[in-house]
Amino acid sequence: DFYGVAWLLKRVLKPGGVIVWNVADATKNGSETGNSMRQAMHFQCLGLNLHDTMIYRKANYTPLTHNRYEQEWEYCFILSSGKPKTFNPIKIPCTNAGQETWGEPAYYQTADGKLTQKSKRLIAETKIHGNIFEYEIGSRFTGSVAHPAMFPEGLASDSIQSWSNPGDIVLDPFAGSGTTLKAAKELNRRFIGIEINPEYVDICKKRTAQEVLPLF
């Protein structure tokens, strides 16, 4: 019941809160459904902002030998109630860190119409991650067991780090085997998981009961 779930998520979302909605299109009768975009637009109709569109790419996707290019990515729509109160961007190293650059373009036009050369600047050590996040998938990389729709812990961890702070509440209404809940606990967030399958609930309890040991 997507429409019921969407309304309920909107109802409980705090001002400045964020929903990370992971969805991929199915293929039925030879055609992709297009449900992903319809779902994003429906959230907008409910009054939420489509703040960002991220791509979750599967580095080791499974070939299915369809008569189309293989599906190796899924959407992660970032939906917010107003302006997100938190953004802790994931940073990655700059390839040319420390080098001088003019920037592009090297000249700019002043108010009187003159072309003026920009000052050189140093390329920073890091930059904000692009909106395509790549992860290895499968049980070796997801940390999940006995679940048919596993997703990598890195996806949950990066999303939680990006859009919340320690002490915030993370809700997963489809908790599955508890990947999101486990990541939330490790990142010192409070968490609520909802799962209809009792077998998966037991797995969630076991995974979140494990203590996280410091590296040093």
Side-chain angles (χ1 to χ4, degrees), residues 1-189:
D1 180 15
F2 164 72
Y3 296 102
V5 169
W7 185 85
L8 289 168
L9 288 176
K10 194 265 183 183
R11 181 179 66 84
V12 301
L13 191 64
K14 292 181 179 181
V18 163
I19 297 169
V20 180
W21 188 257
N22 173 216
V23 59
D25 289 315
T27 300
K28 295 183 178 179
N29 300 320
S31 174
E32 292 188 355
T33 59
N35 284 338
S36 56
M37 287 298 180
R38 275 192 286 271
Q39 290 182 4
M41 294 175 69
H42 181 71
F43 277 115
Q44 288 183 307
C45 290
L46 292 177
L48 297 180
N49 293 336
L50 180 54
H51 179 74
D52 203 350
T53 300
M54 296 166 58
I55 299 296
Y56 150 39
R57 182 178 182 274
K58 304 169 187 178
N60 55 333
Y61 63 91
T62 303
L64 299 174
T65 62
H66 290 151
N67 62 337
R68 57 178 60 82
Y69 291 109
E70 299 293 358
Q71 184 65 38
E72 60 178 302
W73 60 271
E74 299 176 4
Y75 284 114
C76 283
F77 295 120
I78 309 303
L79 305 146
S80 62
S81 176
K83 181 181 178 180
K85 75 174 183 64
T86 301
F87 178 47
N88 305 310
I90 306 295
K91 298 288 188 71
I92 58 175
C94 290
T95 303
N96 299 310
Q99 295 185 20
E100 287 188 334
T101 178
W102 291 104
E104 293 293 340
Y107 291 84
Y108 66 94
Q109 190 171 27
T110 58
D112 58 6
K114 293 181 179 179
L115 285 178
T116 303
Q117 192 173 37
K118 288 183 177 179
S119 299
K120 283 188 176 182
R121 61 181 177 85
L122 290 179
I123 297 175
E125 293 294 324
T126 61
K127 61 182 178 181
I128 295 178
H129 198 296
N131 63 355
I132 299 176
F133 283 71
E134 181 177 281
Y135 306 97
E136 300 278 359
I137 59 172
S139 58
R140 283 196 303 135
F141 306 101
T142 60
S144 180
V145 291
H147 195 277
M150 299 179 292
F151 64 90
E153 287 186 12
L155 175 58
S157 180
D158 286 345
S159 297
I160 292 168
Q161 288 184 75
S162 296
W163 306 106
S164 70
N165 290 318
D168 286 347
I169 298 175
V170 175
L171 166 67
D172 189 345
F174 308 102
S177 57
T179 301
T180 300
L181 311 183
K182 181 174 180 289
K185 180 177 180 179
E186 291 176 345
L187 294 168
N188 297 315
R189 272 64 166 176

Side-chain angles (χ1 to χ4, degrees), residues 188-199:
N188 297 315
R189 272 64 166 176
R190 294 177 289 165
F191 57 88
I192 300 169
I194 302 171
E195 174 54 48
I196 197 171
N197 188 320
E199 294 180 9

